[in-house]
Amino acid sequence: MTSSADLPDFAIEVRGLKKTYAGSKKAPPKVALKGVDLVVPRGSLFGLLGPNGAGKSTLINILAGVVNKSEGEVRIWGRDIDAQPRAARAALGVVPQEIVADVFFTPREALEVQAGFYGVPRGERRSDELLAALGLSDKANAYVRALSGGMKRRLMVAKALVHNPPVLILDEPTAGVDVELRRQLWEYVRRINAEGVTILLTTHYLEEAQELCDTIAIVNRGEVVVSEPTATLLRRLDTRNVVVTPDAPLPAPPALRGLQVAARPNGAFAVTYRLGEGTVEQVLAAVRAAGVGIKDIATEDPDLEDVFLALTYGDPSRPSPTAD
Ligand code: ADP
């Protein structure tokens, strides 16, 4: 057995990572990552969250060796992707977002071919074990095109694991997946994580990250805005919004002491308060005390957008995502 002293503290380590996509005649260059620092502790089930266009795929594609970085350092399982690209890649399994079906192979063959690709000796292959673990044993010799979408997705997870990588990336594993399959995948992800595989999962479902991940990083506009244990992050979600429509147009939303205020369309504004530290009544009293007449109010539960708002609030260099 390997002693843990030999193992890296971080399964993935990203320092100062920048990526600018080259422009073309029609499009200017596009900055996708502005200098990302991110560490994924060994053994964690780590969630990477962010809205579309935040830079998640770019980051993952750099880790997977599919996209070249512009600047910065990346280590996978302690192996630098520039200095030891093959060793770094060998430590990583990637389950891509899109289902790629091997039409000519059976699931067992698909796993054998993949193992061959990674140079796994025959005696060390574990195709049958993986098929069993993912509930595909009875389809081992079926044509892949005869599998359901859910089965194909599970086969892709199996393919990513043929070379026994200590780190697994799952890119939006449950996008467009039905509830039952989602549960099954979650269960399997938990299991392999419990067996020691470090998992990095991208998702735009907050619920998924909440349920599965011990640590969450939020990426927004090419930057990591937060990376912390899920429980800590969720305490930040301990907020509610009251959306107020004033009875007369205001030049700007009122400043309310101790409360976060953000503009909304059509002259409305949202006031965010912490549960346990305030009530809707207190918010409304503060609004009236600021001299604002109230035409209408609505309350909202927090969502990922609110986390962003809470995290970026107070930094004038970062415009509020809801105030566009
Ligand atoms: P996410 O996965 O979080 O949706 P992406 O990494 O796909 O974000 O995209 C980050 C930014 O980089 C976006 O503004 C996107 O338009 C841009 N981008 C992504 N891929 C390319 C590419 N191949 N060429 C140019 N711009 C790209």
Side-chain angles (χ1 to χ4, degrees):
M1 234 181 98
T2 329
S3 86
S4 66
D6 300 332
L7 300 174
D9 289 340
F10 302 125
I12 296 174
E13 203 178 342
V14 171
R15 305 278 176 200
L17 184 63
K18 295 187 185 174
K19 174 66 187 177
T20 302
Y21 289 102
S24 64
K25 273 185 193 145
K26 286 183 186 152
K30 175 81 204 172
V31 178
L33 298 175
K34 294 178 186 165
V36 165
D37 293 310
L38 189 71
V39 291
V40 176
R42 172 167 49 85
S44 79
L45 208 173
F46 196 100
L48 192 63
L49 284 173
N52 278 339
K56 303 181 296 296
S57 307
T58 300
L59 177 55
I60 281 182
N61 287 335
I62 291 171
L63 296 173
V66 180
V67 164
N68 290 324
K69 61 188 167 56
S70 305
E71 262 182 60
E73 284 172 33
V74 176
R75 271 181 289 281
I76 297 166
W77 210 242
R79 301 154 185 181
D80 187 286
I81 62 165
D82 295 323
Q84 302 168 274
R86 286 172 64 91
R89 212 164 306 156
L92 188 66
V94 181
V95 184
Q97 214 175 102
E98 258 89 71
I99 294 178
V100 189
D102 303 282
V103 265
F104 301 116
F105 296 127
T106 67
R108 181 180 281 123
E109 287 165 350
L111 296 188
E112 288 292 316
V113 168
Q114 185 81 357
F117 175 74
Y118 275 101
V120 182
R122 275 186 200 284
E124 290 172 26
R125 294 190 190 168
R126 42 190 206 126
S127 303
D128 287 327
E129 180 194 323
L130 285 169
L131 290 168
L134 285 142
L136 292 168
S137 293
D138 57 338
K139 299 285 177 190
N141 300 313
Y143 278 107
V144 169
R145 62 169 173 264
L147 305 185
S148 70
M151 290 171 182
K152 284 181 191 147
R153 210 176 268 265
R154 280 182 274 150
L155 178 58
M156 295 200 13
V157 177
K159 276 178 73 177
L161 291 168
V162 290
H163 57 300
N164 221 355
V167 188
L168 183 68
I169 292 182
L170 293 153
D171 193 5
E172 300 268 354
T174 62
V177 157
D178 67 44
V179 176
E180 199 196 338
L181 177 59
R182 178 172 302 181
R183 289 276 155 201
Q184 275 176 15
L185 280 172
W186 285 4
E187 206 178 294
Y188 188 65
V189 165
R190 280 202 189 95
R191 200 174 102 203
I192 56 177
N193 180 244
E195 287 167 3
V197 177
T198 303
I199 298 195
L200 174 64
L201 172 114
T202 74
T203 181
H204 56 255
Y205 299 121
L206 185 59
E207 182 211 351
E208 178 159 276
Q210 240 168 273
E211 174 112 1
L212 269 185
C213 300
D214 52 56
T215 313
I216 292 178
I218 293 179
V219 188
N220 195 24
R221 301 170 196 224
E223 290 176 294
V224 173
V225 289
V226 70
S227 177
E228 60 190 23
T230 307
T232 312
L233 183 68
L234 289 178
R235 276 197 289 277
R236 297 178 187 250
L237 268 173
D238 201 14
T239 58
R240 290 288 179 275
N241 289 338
V242 183
V243 181
V244 178
T245 306
D247 63 1
L250 301 171
L256 305 176
R257 210 156 66 93
L259 292 165
Q260 181 184 310
V261 182
R264 288 291 175 91
N266 303 320
F269 56 91
V271 185
T272 303
Y273 67 97
R274 277 188 184 283
L275 295 176
E277 285 177 19
T279 62
V280 177
E281 284 304 326
Q282 286 166 349
V283 168
L284 297 181
V287 170
R288 286 197 195 92
V292 177
I294 298 170
K295 182 173 157 201
D296 193 17
I297 63 157
T299 56
E300 285 176 353
D301 282 340
D303 58 18
L304 197 50
E305 195 87 348
D306 295 304
V307 185
F308 290 136
L309 200 58
L311 289 170
T312 55
Y313 181 69
D315 178 351
S317 69
R318 291 210 186 106
S320 142
T322 51
D324 297 333

